[in-house]
Amino acid sequence: MRVSRASVFGALILAVLVLAVARTVSAQAWLPPKGEAAFSLGWSHTWADHHIDYTGADVAPGDMDWHNAVSDLSYGITDRFAARVNIPFVTSKYVGNRPHPARPGHPPIDTGSWNSAFTDFRAELRFKATTGSLAVTPLVAIVVPSHWYESMGHSSFGNNSVEGQFGVNVGRVLDPLLPNAYLQARYVYAVPEAWAGIRPTRSNVIVDLGYFVTGSLTVSVLGAYTKTHAGWRATVDFPPPTNPDFYNHDRLTRHDYFRFGGGASYALTGSIDIGLNYYATLWARSDINMSGIALSFTYGFSPAQVIKRNRDANR
Amino acid sequence: MTSRGRSLLALAAGLLVAGPVGAVAGRPVDIGQLLPGFEATSLSGETFSLESATREHKAVVVLFTSTVCPYANYFAAHVRELSETYGPRGVLFVGVNSNNWESREEIADHARERGFAFPIIKDEGHVIADRLGADRTPEAFLVDGTGRLRYRGWVKSKQESPDLQHAIDAVLEGRPVRRPSTKAFGCAVDRY
């Protein structure tokens, strides 16, 4: 098997999960009230057939596909403080003639077959710092791998790396400037675990402009920009395969990109929302040209009401 | 109370519901149509008639609410502010609690805690909810002085767009309501 430098930077799917999960629970700048819970199931299909190196040049190593199923639970601890946990289950496949070599002692994943794994638990706390029409909601989050999984490969599941995240959501309805519309933005600074003495911190900005078409239907456009502040440029900075750090090159790649998409959410009932979103890569360096489609189902409920109803019904 | 007792109470409450003009019980009323009238005794012991209230006010907000629903409680302060702001301008708020398992005492205590100075009705047997087609707490029905439905839906959106307030402003100013129907979210009106 020939392994060239042009073939060995794999996919980082964290960005995809951020997009997919962000759309499963809308309105991140606004919190669920005290006692309100929401359970979401999200599914996304993401695909790519090109890598883009640090100069912007295209490399076409083959076809990559990921199917991500994300379960997400959020809860309002108080009216201004909410918690959220989620975990993705990823199924992925690479078909091409430039697979990654297998990590010593582990089977290869770029075999042309589907691979599946739970990836990273993510827990997030949000605090709504304002009470007026401008919602300012700082957040802290931690990402912890659920188990050891392969982080290197065109069809890798994720970074298999502990990560802290700090950020803020800002949101506002645009009435009267643009009636029936809202704008929210999210900035997150991610501090991942260091590998090979390098900690590839990154900044991620997501901007979401939504419009209420009807009382049930909301459409939105979404842009996501990520800038990685440290790490290796693809592929000039990658070590040779004989270097043990070669196997960290996917998690240490300096990914920069801008992805853009749009979608719609529809309130089926007062407690069930469904959402459909599409996004594509418009610009990237040391990354891949991924596109994706995501479907989400969200059920909101009040545990306190359920408990009280059942308790009183049994009296 | 036994289930038979509850049924009799529901039947009695149902008999209090005044027949609306051109309305069909249980079927959602279209915007611009007459909202089905109802008559009931509030927790303070006074008789409330929607038909009379609309004649005597520029607008009436019928708000389905709950003592334990998170969204109903979250928007309670906003509802109180609206009632205090628009009360002097001829808008009457009336709260309706249709959950079978919430007692009159709990509802009265909750109204005191939240500072609700407007009439609160315990909708025994969820007769009013059925008649208006109410599905959620909180869910607002805004009728103008002629008894016609001008807005139905959430108090505020999840992004806290104050659409009920916008609708009240429109009715008071004689304008069309920009978004007259929204999908109320929150807890289900519990008919069990």
Side-chain angles (χ1 to χ4, degrees):
Chain A
M1 179 175 61
R2 184 177 73 87
V3 180
S4 74
R5 288 202 172 190
S7 73
V8 293
F9 66 102
L12 178 71
I13 62 168
L14 186 64
V16 180
L17 298 180
V18 168
L19 281 170
V21 173
R23 302 307 300 154
T24 60
V25 180
S26 63
Q28 298 299 308
W30 294 274
L31 302 183
K34 178 184 178 181
E36 178 75 8
F39 177 70
S40 295
L41 282 175
W43 165 83
S44 68
H45 176 212
T46 305
W47 59 91
D49 58 4
H50 279 70
H51 287 75
I52 301 160
D53 74 8
Y54 82 104
T55 69
D58 268 4
V59 181
D63 294 326
M64 294 154 277
D65 283 276
W66 297 265
H67 291 272
N68 308 317
V70 185
S71 54
D72 184 291
L73 181 66
S74 62
Y75 184 73
I77 298 167
T78 72
D79 284 344
R80 301 179 66 177
F81 191 54
R84 180 179 170 196
V85 293
N86 60 54
I87 183 169
F89 180 80
V90 181
T91 297
S92 61
K93 183 173 75 170
Y94 165 74
V95 177
N97 57 10
R98 292 180 175 178
H100 276 57
R103 185 188 298 268
H106 294 276
I109 61 171
D110 290 341
T111 59
S113 300
W114 291 103
N115 304 283
S116 299
F118 280 101
T119 56
D120 305 330
F121 289 109
R122 183 175 185 277
E124 177 188 270
L125 294 173
R126 284 180 290 156
F127 174 72
K128 189 161 177 279
T130 57
T131 56
S133 56
L134 178 68
V136 178
T137 309
L139 69 94
V140 295
I142 187 166
V143 177
V144 179
S146 58
H147 67 295
W148 189 94
Y149 60 83
E150 184 54 78
S151 62
M152 192 198 70
H154 294 302
S155 54
S156 65
F157 306 121
N159 274 346
N160 191 12
S161 182
V162 176
E163 180 172 297
Q165 298 177 350
F166 311 89
V168 63
N169 296 283
V170 179
R172 195 186 193 290
V173 292
L174 299 180
D175 196 21
L177 185 67
L178 184 58
N180 300 341
Y182 69 87
L183 180 69
Q184 61 176 337
R186 174 185 178 99
Y187 170 78
V188 170
Y189 182 69
V191 184
E193 191 175 352
W195 299 91
I198 299 170
R199 191 183 303 279
T201 60
R202 66 181 188 282
S203 293
N204 175 253
V205 177
I206 297 177
V207 178
D208 177 13
L209 174 64
Y211 182 77
F212 302 109
V213 179
T214 69
S216 299
L217 178 65
T218 304
V219 295
S220 62
V221 292
L222 186 81
Y225 172 73
T226 286
K227 171 73 177 173
T228 306
H229 305 297
W232 292 335
R233 296 168 299 167
T235 59
V236 293
D237 296 334
F238 290 177
T242 52
N243 184 329
D245 288 335
F246 170 82
Y247 297 97
N248 288 320
H249 75 261
D250 282 343
R251 51 167 63 120
L252 287 175
T253 299
R254 188 189 288 255
H255 301 275
D256 299 332
Y257 62 81
F258 176 66
R259 305 196 211 287
F260 186 78
S265 65
Y266 186 78
L268 281 178
T269 71
S271 56
I272 297 175
D273 292 350
I274 55 172
L276 181 66
N277 292 275
Y278 169 80
Y279 48 87
T281 301
L282 297 189
W283 175 89
R285 293 290 183 272
S286 300
D287 203 74
I288 60 174
N289 69 333
M290 65 171 61
S291 300
I293 189 166
L295 182 66
S296 64
F297 169 93
T298 302
Y299 174 64
F301 61 102
S302 164
Q305 173 153 333
V306 173
I307 291 168
K308 178 166 171 49
R309 184 188 72 187
N310 290 338
R311 186 185 63 201
D312 290 3
N314 291 329
R315 276 179 183 170
Chain B
M1 182 183 293
T2 65
S3 61
R4 186 177 177 188
R6 278 197 293 267
S7 299
L8 287 172
L9 198 55
L11 179 62
L15 293 174
L16 282 173
V17 176
V21 179
V24 179
R27 183 181 297 174
V29 178
D30 293 334
I31 299 296
Q33 299 299 305
L34 289 170
L35 192 70
F38 60 87
E39 189 173 301
T41 303
S42 72
L43 293 182
S44 59
E46 296 164 348
T47 299
F48 176 87
S49 159
L50 180 62
E51 198 173 3
S52 300
T54 52
R55 273 201 308 268
E56 295 162 5
H57 295 83
K58 293 177 181 172
V60 176
V61 176
V62 180
L63 179 74
F64 287 83
T65 187
S66 159
T67 65
V68 294
C69 177
Y71 276 111
N73 284 330
Y74 182 71
F75 290 127
H78 178 63
V79 167
R80 188 190 68 237
E81 288 172 12
L82 290 179
S83 69
E84 291 170 354
T85 301
Y86 289 94
R89 297 175 61 185
V91 180
L92 176 69
F93 278 67
V94 57
V96 180
N97 188 312
S98 304
N99 289 336
N100 276 346
W101 40 267
E102 295 194 55
S103 70
R104 301 173 72 88
E105 293 73 23
E106 288 170 329
I107 297 166
D109 289 346
H110 179 264
R112 268 192 297 276
E113 289 166 10
R114 301 287 166 168
F116 291 162
F118 47 81
I120 305 286
I121 294 167
K122 168 62 177 169
D123 178 21
E124 300 287 0
H126 47 81
V127 177
I128 301 171
D130 289 350
R131 196 149 192 89
L132 272 54
D135 181 47
R136 295 284 145 183
T137 63
E139 182 168 4
F141 293 75
L142 171 67
V143 294
D144 62 19
T146 68
R148 295 185 186 281
L149 182 64
R150 301 294 301 277
Y151 174 84
R152 173 189 178 162
W154 59 51
V155 174
K156 281 184 169 183
S157 71
K158 288 181 181 175
Q159 292 80 13
E160 304 208 17
S161 174
D163 293 294
L164 172 60
Q165 182 175 7
H166 289 165
I168 295 171
D169 284 337
V171 169
L172 292 182
E173 294 165 14
R175 291 185 284 111
V177 176
R178 193 176 63 207
R179 187 157 39 154
S181 178
T182 59
K183 192 83 166 184
F185 54 88
C187 306
V189 170
D190 213 327
R191 292 171 164 88
Y192 296 109

